[in-house]
Amino acid sequence: MQPSIESLRTKYDEAGQGHVFRFWDTLDDAGRRALAAQAEAIDLAELRRVHQSTRSLAAPGSRRLEPAAVETLPEYGGSAERRARAKRRGEDVLRAGRVAVMVVAGGQGTRLGFDGPKGLFPLGPVTGRTLFQLQAQKIRGARRRYGAAIPWYVMTSPATDAPTRAYFAGERWFGLPERDVFFFRQSMAPALDFEGRLLLETPSRIAESPNGHGGAFQALADSGALDDMARRGITTISYYQVDNPLIQLADPVFVGLHDEARAEMSAKVVRKIDPMEKVGVVARVGDRLGIVEYTEIDDEHRFQKDAAGQLVYWAGSIAIHVLEVEFARRIARDPERHLPYHASAKKIPCIAADGSPLRPAEPNGHKLERFLFDALPAAERVALLEVAREDEYAPVKNAEGGDSPATARCALDDVVRRWLDAARISAPADAWVEVDHARLDGEDDARAGTLRADDVGLVLAPRTK
Ligand code: UTP
C-alpha cells in the first residue's frame, strides 16, 4: 500500500528535510507523483549517517601504514620469469572462457564537459574512433586470440544509460555479438548541501547524481549480471574505467598473477610521479590492503623515502582491477559495511528557496559516491602488479591541460610509435599513427617488436599542429 503523502511529509519534516515539499502546492499531478516516489525511495536515516560521517572522516595520519608487496617491473627488481609464468597461466584462464570484462561508464564527466557519455568521446588520433570503439576493438582482439566469448558488462547510470545503449545499437555493437554485451545500470544518490539538507533540482525533483563506481557491486547483483556470468562459467572480471584509452583489458599477465595468488581482488599500480601526485596509494592499512587517497595520507608517509632515495609509498592506483565473481557477490550483499559513502564538494545546479535556478560558481554541496576500491580490504587475498604508466594509463578527465583528450591522444600515439620502433618500422615524426587493436597479437608481443604494419591496419595522418 502507498503510504499517504502526509506521513511521507511528516517523516521529512522530522528529519529536517521538509523543504523538499516546498513547492508541493504548485505541482501538477505528475510532478507530485514523481517527487513522492523519489522521496519515498530515499533512506533518510542512512543519509543522516552519511552526512555525519563526512564530517568526521579519519584525520590524516590516524592510520598505521606499511608499504604493500607489489610484483614490480623487471627494471625495478621484479622477476621477468614470474611475469612470463603469470602470462601463460592467464592465457589458460582466458582460453577457458572464465573471464569477462567490465567497464564503469555511469559517471557524468563534469570536468570534461562533453555533451554525452564519455565513452562516445572521439579519441583515435587518426580515425576519431571513440573510447568505446577503441575498447571494442581490444575486446574483439582478445576474443580472437583466446577463442573465448569474453562478454562485455557495461555499467551505465540513469545519466548515461539511454544514449549509451542507443550508441551501441547504432554501431551494431561494434561487430561484437549483441548477446555478449550486457548493460546494467547503477543507482543514483541524493546530493546534500553543506548542512546535510537535500537540494532540489526542480520544484518536483531532488538533486541526485550517480552513486559512484562503487555502486557497481549492487548494480551487478540486482541486474542479474552476476547470475549471467555464473551461467556462462565466468569466474573472473577484468575491470576498468571508460576514460582510459590505454587500457589493456583482459591482460593475461594480470589475470594470471591474480589467479595464481587465488586473489579475490587485485590491482594494477604505477610509480607515482612525485609525492604530491593526486592518486591514491596501495598500502597495508592495519592487517589489510587498502587504497589510501591522496587527500588522506599524512605528510610523513607521503614523503617517506627508502635508503635508495625512492618513495616508500610509490604504488599509485590506476583503477584497473581483477575481481572474482563470488567476491563481487559477497560485497553486494552488504554494501553499507564495505562501501562507505564519500562526500565530495561539487557545484550542484539547483533551485533557490524562491524557485529561481542557481548555477553555483563555487561548490555548494556534496555529491555522495561509493568507491569500488573500498572493497579491497575485504579481499582475503590480493595481487598487486606494477605496470608502466606510459603503456597503460592516460585518463581523459579534463577538457584541457593534464589528463585531457590532448594528452591521452598523444599517449595513444606514443604507445603505437613504441611498438613500431620495436619492430623497426619507421613513421614520419610529423604524423599521427593509429592501429586497429582488434588485429593486434597482444600488447606484450607488440612491445617485444612483433608488430607488422600491414597486418594491424596502421594508418597515418599529418599533424596540423
Ligand atoms: P570519475 O571519478 O573520473 O568521474 O570516474 P567522471 O564522472 O568520469 O568525471 P567527473 O568527476 O564528473 O569530471 C571514473 C570512472 O568511474 C565511472 C566513470 O564513468 C569513469 O569511468 N563512474 C564514476 C561511474 O561509472 N559511476 C559513477 O557514479 C562515477
Side-chain angles (χ1 to χ4, degrees), residues 303-321:
F303 293 103
Q304 195 178 340
K305 299 229 168 117
D306 62 17
Q310 299 292 327
L311 282 180
V312 172
Y313 297 94
W314 58 267
S317 170
I318 49 174
I320 302 174
H321 300 288

Side-chain angles (χ1 to χ4, degrees), residues 420-438:
L420 292 171
D421 284 349
R424 298 177 194 284
I425 300 168
S426 63
D430 58 353
W432 290 105
V433 294
E434 197 178 327
V435 294
D436 177 350
H437 294 262

